[in-house]
PDB file of all heavy atoms in Angstrom:
ATOM      1  N   ASN A 195      84.128  23.165 -49.227  1.00 44.00           N
ATOM      2  CA  ASN A 195      85.495  22.963 -48.790  1.00 44.00           C
ATOM      3  C   ASN A 195      86.149  24.299 -48.682  1.00 44.00           C
ATOM      4  O   ASN A 195      85.846  25.319 -49.396  1.00 44.00           O
ATOM      5  CB  ASN A 195      86.257  22.044 -49.785  1.00 44.00           C
ATOM      6  CG  ASN A 195      85.955  22.340 -51.165  1.00 44.00           C
ATOM      7  OD1 ASN A 195      85.244  23.294 -51.455  1.00 44.00           O
ATOM      8  ND2 ASN A 195      86.565  21.581 -52.065  1.00 44.00           N
ATOM      9  N   ALA A 196      87.075  24.329 -47.847  1.00 47.00           N
ATOM     10  CA  ALA A 196      87.742  25.572 -47.574  1.00 47.00           C
ATOM     11  C   ALA A 196      88.609  26.026 -48.774  1.00 47.00           C
ATOM     12  O   ALA A 196      88.764  27.260 -48.947  1.00 47.00           O
ATOM     13  CB  ALA A 196      88.627  25.466 -46.319  1.00 47.00           C
ATOM     14  N   LYS A 197      88.982  25.058 -49.474  1.00 66.00           N
ATOM     15  CA  LYS A 197      89.843  25.414 -50.660  1.00 66.00           C
ATOM     16  C   LYS A 197      89.046  26.145 -51.734  1.00 66.00           C
ATOM     17  O   LYS A 197      87.895  25.791 -52.036  1.00 66.00           O
ATOM     18  CB  LYS A 197      90.419  24.145 -51.277  1.00 66.00           C
ATOM     19  CG  LYS A 197      91.926  24.129 -51.382  1.00 66.00           C
ATOM     20  CD  LYS A 197      92.375  22.854 -52.001  1.00 66.00           C
ATOM     21  CE  LYS A 197      92.735  23.155 -53.441  1.00 66.00           C
ATOM     22  NZ  LYS A 197      92.750  21.973 -54.285  1.00 66.00           N
ATOM     23  N   THR A 198      89.685  27.152 -52.233  1.00 76.00           N
ATOM     24  CA  THR A 198      88.968  27.892 -53.236  1.00 76.00           C
ATOM     25  C   THR A 198      89.018  27.154 -54.574  1.00 76.00           C
ATOM     26  O   THR A 198      89.974  26.557 -54.904  1.00 76.00           O
ATOM     27  CB  THR A 198      89.672  29.294 -53.481  1.00 76.00           C
ATOM     28  OG1 THR A 198      89.983  29.740 -52.148  1.00 76.00           O
ATOM     29  CG2 THR A 198      88.742  30.278 -54.136  1.00 76.00           C
ATOM     30  N   VAL A 199      87.876  27.123 -55.197  1.00 82.00           N
ATOM     31  CA  VAL A 199      87.766  26.480 -56.492  1.00 82.00           C
ATOM     32  C   VAL A 199      88.119  27.370 -57.584  1.00 82.00           C
ATOM     33  O   VAL A 199      87.812  28.600 -57.477  1.00 82.00           O
ATOM     34  CB  VAL A 199      86.289  25.872 -56.667  1.00 82.00           C
ATOM     35  CG1 VAL A 199      86.299  25.037 -57.907  1.00 82.00           C
ATOM     36  CG2 VAL A 199      85.867  25.131 -55.483  1.00 82.00           C
ATOM     37  N   TYR A 200      88.776  26.874 -58.550  1.00 88.00           N
ATOM     38  CA  TYR A 200      89.097  27.692 -59.732  1.00 88.00           C
ATOM     39  C   TYR A 200      87.875  28.259 -60.348  1.00 88.00           C
ATOM     40  O   TYR A 200      86.962  27.500 -60.584  1.00 88.00           O
ATOM     41  CB  TYR A 200      89.824  26.816 -60.754  1.00 88.00           C
ATOM     42  CG  TYR A 200      90.465  27.555 -61.849  1.00 88.00           C
ATOM     43  CD1 TYR A 200      91.768  28.060 -61.709  1.00 88.00           C
ATOM     44  CD2 TYR A 200      89.936  27.732 -63.097  1.00 88.00           C
ATOM     45  CE1 TYR A 200      92.423  28.744 -62.678  1.00 88.00           C
ATOM     46  CE2 TYR A 200      90.485  28.396 -64.119  1.00 88.00           C
ATOM     47  CZ  TYR A 200      91.799  28.912 -63.930  1.00 88.00           C
ATOM     48  OH  TYR A 200      92.377  29.567 -64.915  1.00 88.00           O
ATOM     49  N   PRO A 201      87.759  29.607 -60.511  1.00 89.00           N
ATOM     50  CA  PRO A 201      86.523  30.173 -61.038  1.00 89.00           C
ATOM     51  C   PRO A 201      86.199  29.717 -62.465  1.00 89.00           C
ATOM     52  O   PRO A 201      87.059  29.663 -63.308  1.00 89.00           O
ATOM     53  CB  PRO A 201      86.807  31.687 -61.027  1.00 89.00           C
ATOM     54  CG  PRO A 201      88.035  31.865 -60.222  1.00 89.00           C
ATOM     55  CD  PRO A 201      88.797  30.626 -60.325  1.00 89.00           C
ATOM     56  N   PHE A 202      84.931  29.438 -62.674  1.00 89.00           N
ATOM     57  CA  PHE A 202      84.443  28.936 -63.983  1.00 89.00           C
ATOM     58  C   PHE A 202      84.747  29.952 -65.037  1.00 89.00           C
ATOM     59  O   PHE A 202      85.203  29.459 -66.173  1.00 89.00           O
ATOM     60  CB  PHE A 202      82.972  28.709 -63.828  1.00 89.00           C
ATOM     61  CG  PHE A 202      82.369  28.055 -65.001  1.00 89.00           C
ATOM     62  CD1 PHE A 202      82.359  26.595 -65.105  1.00 89.00           C
ATOM     63  CD2 PHE A 202      81.632  28.711 -66.007  1.00 89.00           C
ATOM     64  CE1 PHE A 202      81.848  25.930 -66.162  1.00 89.00           C
ATOM     65  CE2 PHE A 202      81.033  27.981 -67.085  1.00 89.00           C
ATOM     66  CZ  PHE A 202      81.179  26.647 -67.161  1.00 89.00           C
ATOM     67  N   THR A 203      84.512  31.124 -64.769  1.00 89.00           N
ATOM     68  CA  THR A 203      84.765  32.124 -65.860  1.00 89.00           C
ATOM     69  C   THR A 203      86.192  32.361 -66.217  1.00 89.00           C
ATOM     70  O   THR A 203      86.445  32.926 -67.257  1.00 89.00           O
ATOM     71  CB  THR A 203      84.107  33.560 -65.402  1.00 89.00           C
ATOM     72  OG1 THR A 203      84.420  33.687 -64.055  1.00 89.00           O
ATOM     73  CG2 THR A 203      82.591  33.542 -65.642  1.00 89.00           C
ATOM     74  N   ALA A 204      87.113  31.888 -65.336  1.00 88.00           N
ATOM     75  CA  ALA A 204      88.459  32.095 -65.636  1.00 88.00           C
ATOM     76  C   ALA A 204      89.027  30.993 -66.595  1.00 88.00           C
ATOM     77  O   ALA A 204      90.218  31.016 -66.971  1.00 88.00           O
ATOM     78  CB  ALA A 204      89.256  32.117 -64.347  1.00 88.00           C
ATOM     79  N   ILE A 205      88.206  30.004 -66.896  1.00 87.00           N
ATOM     80  CA  ILE A 205      88.677  28.977 -67.810  1.00 87.00           C
ATOM     81  C   ILE A 205      88.807  29.570 -69.265  1.00 87.00           C
ATOM     82  O   ILE A 205      87.809  30.117 -69.735  1.00 87.00           O
ATOM     83  CB  ILE A 205      87.730  27.782 -67.825  1.00 87.00           C
ATOM     84  CG1 ILE A 205      87.681  27.155 -66.422  1.00 87.00           C
ATOM     85  CG2 ILE A 205      88.120  26.746 -68.857  1.00 87.00           C
ATOM     86  CD1 ILE A 205      86.642  26.090 -66.177  1.00 87.00           C
ATOM     87  N   VAL A 206      89.947  29.428 -69.822  1.00 86.00           N
ATOM     88  CA  VAL A 206      90.240  30.004 -71.041  1.00 86.00           C
ATOM     89  C   VAL A 206      89.574  29.102 -72.183  1.00 86.00           C
ATOM     90  O   VAL A 206      89.841  27.894 -72.190  1.00 86.00           O
ATOM     91  CB  VAL A 206      91.699  30.212 -71.355  1.00 86.00           C
ATOM     92  CG1 VAL A 206      91.917  30.867 -72.683  1.00 86.00           C
ATOM     93  CG2 VAL A 206      92.246  31.038 -70.209  1.00 86.00           C
ATOM     94  N   GLY A 207      88.883  29.747 -73.127  1.00 83.00           N
ATOM     95  CA  GLY A 207      88.375  28.966 -74.221  1.00 83.00           C
ATOM     96  C   GLY A 207      87.409  27.905 -73.872  1.00 83.00           C
ATOM     97  O   GLY A 207      86.651  28.061 -72.923  1.00 83.00           O
ATOM     98  N   GLN A 208      87.384  26.794 -74.530  1.00 85.00           N
ATOM     99  CA  GLN A 208      86.442  25.701 -74.291  1.00 85.00           C
ATOM    100  C   GLN A 208      84.970  26.189 -74.214  1.00 85.00           C
ATOM    101  O   GLN A 208      84.258  25.758 -73.390  1.00 85.00           O
ATOM    102  CB  GLN A 208      86.762  24.933 -72.994  1.00 85.00           C
ATOM    103  CG  GLN A 208      88.286  24.591 -72.818  1.00 85.00           C
ATOM    104  CD  GLN A 208      88.771  23.626 -73.866  1.00 85.00           C
ATOM    105  OE1 GLN A 208      88.087  23.368 -74.853  1.00 85.00           O
ATOM    106  NE2 GLN A 208      89.920  23.060 -73.668  1.00 85.00           N
ATOM    107  N   GLU A 209      84.620  27.132 -75.140  1.00 87.00           N
ATOM    108  CA  GLU A 209      83.321  27.701 -75.058  1.00 87.00           C
ATOM    109  C   GLU A 209      82.191  26.733 -75.111  1.00 87.00           C
ATOM    110  O   GLU A 209      81.216  26.844 -74.451  1.00 87.00           O
ATOM    111  CB  GLU A 209      83.163  28.804 -76.170  1.00 87.00           C
ATOM    112  CG  GLU A 209      84.204  29.882 -76.119  1.00 87.00           C
ATOM    113  CD  GLU A 209      84.171  30.655 -74.763  1.00 87.00           C
ATOM    114  OE1 GLU A 209      83.069  30.656 -74.140  1.00 87.00           O
ATOM    115  OE2 GLU A 209      85.229  31.159 -74.304  1.00 87.00           O
TER     116      GLU A 209
END
Side-chain angles (χ1 to χ4, degrees):
Chain A
N195 46 2
K197 235 184 99 201
T198 319
V199 187
Y200 192 85
F202 190 80
T203 39
I205 297 168
V206 180
Q208 315 295 15
E209 297 305 331

